[in-house]
Amino acid sequence: MTQPPTGLVVAITGAAQGIGLGLARHFAQAGARVVLSDVNAEACTAARDALRADGYEAEAAAANVTDAAACERMVETAVNAFGRLDVMVCNAGVAQVKPFMELQAADWDLHFAVNVKGAFLSLQAAARQMKTQEPLAAGRPRGKVITMASIAARYGAGVMAPYQGPYRASKAAVVSLTQTAAYSLSPDITVNALCPGIVATEMWTRMDRDL
Ligand SMILES: NC(=O)c1ccc[n+]([C@@H]2O[C@H](COP(=O)([O-])OP(=O)(O)OC[C@H]3O[C@@H](n4cnc5c(N)ncnc54)[C@H](O)[C@@H]3O)[C@@H](O)[C@H]2O)c1
């Protein structure tokens, strides 16, 4: 596998635990300088300290991705600490397990606020910065964005189907948002979605228990 250039600045939302924290560690091990962002400020700082203790360059930026100003401050933290922002991973997300006929409006509001609006706000804040910076090398984009969708965006059946209405719809919206952003920001910024299957994190433990 080709190694990325060292020193890339990578910001990750929802990075205090789970997939986000795992990604932060892998990016750091590959030579990146990482900005960990999360709504849980205490866990976010602890995750940063753990990476620093292992010798990696890491910064913490507590932010609720549903808050546009907080997303802007997260990007400012990256630029103040490391001078630029090369990769934004819009990973923060929430998931509930609830039978279809028990769903209420608030369930839709929660999933679409965090998973869709939050992905958009963090993506847009990053793109504002990326558009102002020079590419790291000729022929490279000015920045890259990775959104975190899910296999749930692509797969309508299975035992989880009756219990994941708002989650599945929100992740399908993340795929659509990713396509819109990719067309809007090309060629300066590339935008791609990941669609993981089941990953053993606290999110999955909660869903498994509630199911
Ligand atoms: N675990 C899986 O099986 C799985 C599969 C496919 C996709 N995903 C997606 O991957 C992403 C990470 O999932 P995970 O399993 O690591 O979940 P997790 O619950 O372990 O971690 C999610 C993190 O996001 C943070 N967060 C929640 N709301 C936030 C907000 N408003 N602003 C900022 N941060 C917020 C939480 O504090 C937490 O640290 C999510 O988008 C999830 O939908 C997970």
Side-chain angles (χ1 to χ4, degrees), residues 81-140:
F82 301 125
R84 55 189 286 126
L85 177 59
D86 297 298
V87 181
M88 176 81 232
V89 187
C90 306
N91 167 76
V94 291
Q96 265 182 345
V97 168
K98 211 179 212 188
F100 189 79
M101 291 307 291
E102 291 177 20
L103 287 171
Q104 295 177 347
D107 300 315
W108 291 90
D109 292 344
L110 171 69
H111 284 85
F112 275 74
V114 179
N115 298 356
V116 186
K117 186 175 77 173
F120 168 73
L121 291 174
S122 49
L123 189 165
Q124 191 190 50
R128 280 205 185 98
Q129 163 59 28
M130 288 169 179
K131 278 178 166 291
T132 68
Q133 61 194 28
E134 291 301 315
L136 276 183
R140 289 181 62 87

Side-chain angles (χ1 to χ4, degrees), residues 33-205:
R33 297 171 286 171
V34 293
V35 178
L36 299 106
S37 184
D38 204 282
V39 70
N40 183 338
E42 204 177 321
C44 190
T45 305
R48 176 203 63 189
D49 292 347
L51 282 183
R52 283 184 178 172
D54 289 340
Y56 300 119
E57 283 191 79
E59 194 49 80
N64 185 333
V65 292
T66 65
D67 177 348
C71 290
E72 297 287 347
R73 287 195 296 274
M74 167 186 62
V75 173
E76 275 170 30
T77 300
V79 175
N80 290 339
F82 301 125
R84 55 189 286 126
L85 177 59
D86 297 298
V87 181
M88 176 81 232
V89 187
C90 306
N91 167 76
V94 291
Q96 265 182 345
V97 168
K98 211 179 212 188
F100 189 79
M101 291 307 291
E102 291 177 20
L103 287 171
Q104 295 177 347
D107 300 315
W108 291 90
D109 292 344
L110 171 69
H111 284 85
F112 275 74
V114 179
N115 298 356
V116 186
K117 186 175 77 173
F120 168 73
L121 291 174
S122 49
L123 189 165
Q124 191 190 50
R128 280 205 185 98
Q129 163 59 28
M130 288 169 179
K131 278 178 166 291
T132 68
Q133 61 194 28
E134 291 301 315
L136 276 183
R140 289 181 62 87
R142 294 173 194 271
K144 289 173 178 273
V145 177
I146 300 163
T147 60
M148 198 58 68
S150 169
I151 191 173
R154 298 266 182 205
Y155 179 58
V159 290
M160 297 292 281
Y163 304 100
Q164 280 194 315
Y167 181 73
R168 287 185 172 209
S170 73
K171 291 299 181 177
V174 170
V175 171
S176 176
L177 164 67
T178 305
Q179 291 166 335
T180 302
Y183 276 97
S184 304
L185 300 172
S186 171
D188 286 337
I189 300 165
T190 64
V191 190
N192 293 278
L194 289 177
C195 292
I198 292 171
V199 184
T201 64
E202 285 186 33
M203 175 182 280
W204 177 251
T205 303

